[in-house]
Amino acid sequence: MLSVNNLSLSYGKNRALSNVSFEVQQGEIFSIIGANGAGKSSLLRCISGLVKPMEGTIYYEGKPLPKEPHKITAAGIVHVPEGRRIFAPLTVKENLKAGAFLVKSRSEIEARIEEQYKIFPRLKERENQYAGTLSGGEQQMLAIARALMSRPKLILLDEPSLGLAPLVVKEVFRIIELIREQGVTVLLVEQNAKKALSLADHAVVLENGIIRKTGTGKELLNDQVVKEAYLGAGHSD
Amino acid sequence: MVLFYVQQLINGVSRGAVYALIAVGFALIFSVLKFSNFAHGGLISVAAYAGYYFSTKFDFPPVIAILCTALIGAVMGIILNYIAFYNLQRRNSPNIFYFVSSITCGILFMNILTLMFGTTFYAIKPFFKNNIIKIGNLIILKMDIMILALTFVLLAALMLLINRTKMGLALRMVSIDKDTAMLMGVNSSVVITVTFSIAGALAGISGILLGANFTIDPFLGNMVVKGFIASVIGGLGSLPGAIIGAILLGVMEVIFTVLVGDILSPAIIFVMTLIFLLIRPQGISGHFVTEKA
Ligand SMILES: Nc1ncnc2c1ncn2[C@@H]1O[C@H](COP(=O)(O)OP(=O)(O)OP(=O)(O)O)[C@@H](O)[C@H]1O
Ligand SMILES: [Mg+2]
């Protein structure tokens, strides 16, 4: 459904991505793991159109990806950015409406909001509260719910478990599986390598902007190099 | 005596209303692009001359002249964005570039006007043949009433647009977090163009109103400083703050002119503004809009 070919990106002199290629299949969870600064967020920003790669192509559903972010969103790809980036001065409900920005019909938007409240009952309780006053976990749920408001075909999740308590992390991963069950393809960036790999159908390891390993989630979980670098004692949750 | 102060108060509020139109245009650009757009003053000057042509040369009725001037302002706002800021947006340039570009453009507009019209003063034909309404001993200017009504309608319409429409939601999203707004499907260049056209229309209307209240010269647009002060008092980027700040400024100007005269009054207001900002740097509205690098 998404194929990334020989993607390269630099910020000035700093090379963030070199020759990155991989393919995401329809309906799967595809994980990207890697250390800080490996280029994971940069990769997602290329796919959602926020930055322009210098080289390489991205194909989505067999066609070249549109150029501008709003067209990419309209085509069915939604990006939940690192650090949640909810609209803090807007209410929870307004944030959800913002997520359905491309939906014209008001009744359709209301129906989708109700749908999200079923998945995230906590958000309904807080619907008129300013989003900035939510807890970290609630903000992450809101960021995901807001993204789902557009009914994406592909969702890009950038470190959704970052900075959350173990119980909430568990909840986040449960929701990621739920999203996939609803037929949405998931591209997941995580530092929590163990969780991300056990969930993933396929995965890649990104190191200094280069893809080091490719395989199924299981293969990478059992890979000696990956085990030492990413699943060592300090890295397991 | 009481009547005198009531009259001065009306006078001050009406002056503040024009400042509010300037301040809101200024604050709109600030909240979306995070820089102080001093080119706004250039637009005001251009609009004042346009207003002179429509109302005095072509003899349009006031309402039509105001509408035409607003339209010119909107178009100029869009052109300004394309010549001064569009490339900066594409290159993600730092804010200081916007600031410099806006000041340069403001000066450029004023210099072009000087070349075209010289520094002769132009005067707009009074909007009303008989400008005075008498209620008992109270004398009210029709012009003041018109300015108040017009400002009220315009600002109410703007608030409805921002709080009740999809475009308004997009504008708020972009002003909070442009990248994330784009991820939600907002076309940020459309939002920025619309913002410049609204700010330009407001500059246009304030230009013709200033032109009608004072005489017109190429540097009339330097009144943008009043809008700037008002929006700083109100809290940069906050629209309600800008409106309150502007009315306050207008009333203070009139009161201090009466109390200490024309010459001392600006100095006193300046000092009071500084003291106010020392006590409350975030302005009346209270939420800081930090300039993003
Ligand atoms: N806007 C930018 N300007 C300059 N350099 C950048 C920018 N964004 C990222 N970089 C650099 O690009 C490299 C990759 O950054 P990126 O954010 O993609 O890494 P990451 O894998 O997401 O890291 P983390 O796990 O910490 O989020 C880093 O060296 C970073 O410093
Ligand atoms: Mg990152």
Side-chain angles (χ1 to χ4, degrees), chain A residues 45 48 50 68-70 73 78-79 81 85 87-90 94 97-104 106 109 146, chain B residues 92 163-167 169-174 176-189 191:
Chain A
R45 289 165 69 81
S48 59
L50 286 179
E68 291 153 293
H70 62 99
T73 308
V78 71
H79 179 175
R85 305 280 282 265
F87 297 112
L90 302 187
E94 284 171 326
K97 283 185 184 161
F101 186 74
L102 293 171
V103 182
K104 295 250 152 46
R106 271 173 198 244
I109 293 174
R146 180 181 65 177
Chain B
N92 262 324
N163 292 314
R164 292 272 182 276
T165 67
K166 205 116 209 201
M167 183 45 79
L169 177 63
L171 206 146
R172 283 185 289 160
M173 288 161 75
V174 172
I176 299 167
D177 182 342
K178 184 172 154 210
D179 276 0
T180 305
M182 282 157 50
L183 293 180
M184 306 289 108
V186 172
N187 184 342
S188 64
S189 30
V191 172

Side-chain angles (χ1 to χ4, degrees), chain A residues 9-12 14-17 34-45 51 82 158-159 162 189-191 206 209:
Chain A
L9 172 76
S10 294
Y11 299 102
N14 285 349
R15 203 159 179 87
L17 298 170
N36 288 117
K40 308 180 296 294
S41 299
S42 300
L43 180 53
L44 293 193
R45 289 165 69 81
V51 292
E82 185 174 345
D158 196 344
E159 307 209 30
L162 191 72
V189 159
E190 261 299 336
Q191 285 196 47
L206 201 60

Side-chain angles (χ1 to χ4, degrees), chain A residues 103-167:
Chain A
V103 182
K104 295 250 152 46
S105 137
R106 271 173 198 244
S107 57
E108 174 66 22
I109 293 174
E110 289 298 327
R112 291 191 189 186
I113 290 176
E114 285 311 316
E115 203 177 282
Q116 293 311 314
Y117 285 161
K118 281 211 188 89
I119 310 175
F120 306 96
R122 192 98 178 147
L123 295 181
K124 186 176 174 74
E125 290 166 31
R126 327 240 145 190
E127 68 177 351
N128 295 317
Q129 200 169 315
Y130 288 113
T133 64
L134 296 180
S135 76
E138 288 162 351
Q139 290 190 8
Q140 185 63 60
M141 299 303 172
L142 178 59
I144 295 174
R146 180 181 65 177
L148 293 175
M149 287 294 293
S150 68
R151 295 247 173 97
K153 296 183 212 163
L154 170 64
I155 187 167
L156 317 175
L157 294 167
D158 196 344
E159 307 209 30
S161 75
L162 191 72
L164 302 181
L167 221 62

Side-chain angles (χ1 to χ4, degrees), chain B residues 120-131:
Chain B
T120 349
F121 289 90
Y122 286 73
I124 284 181
K125 196 183 82 183
F127 285 175
F128 301 99
K129 278 207 190 76
N130 175 12
N131 196 14

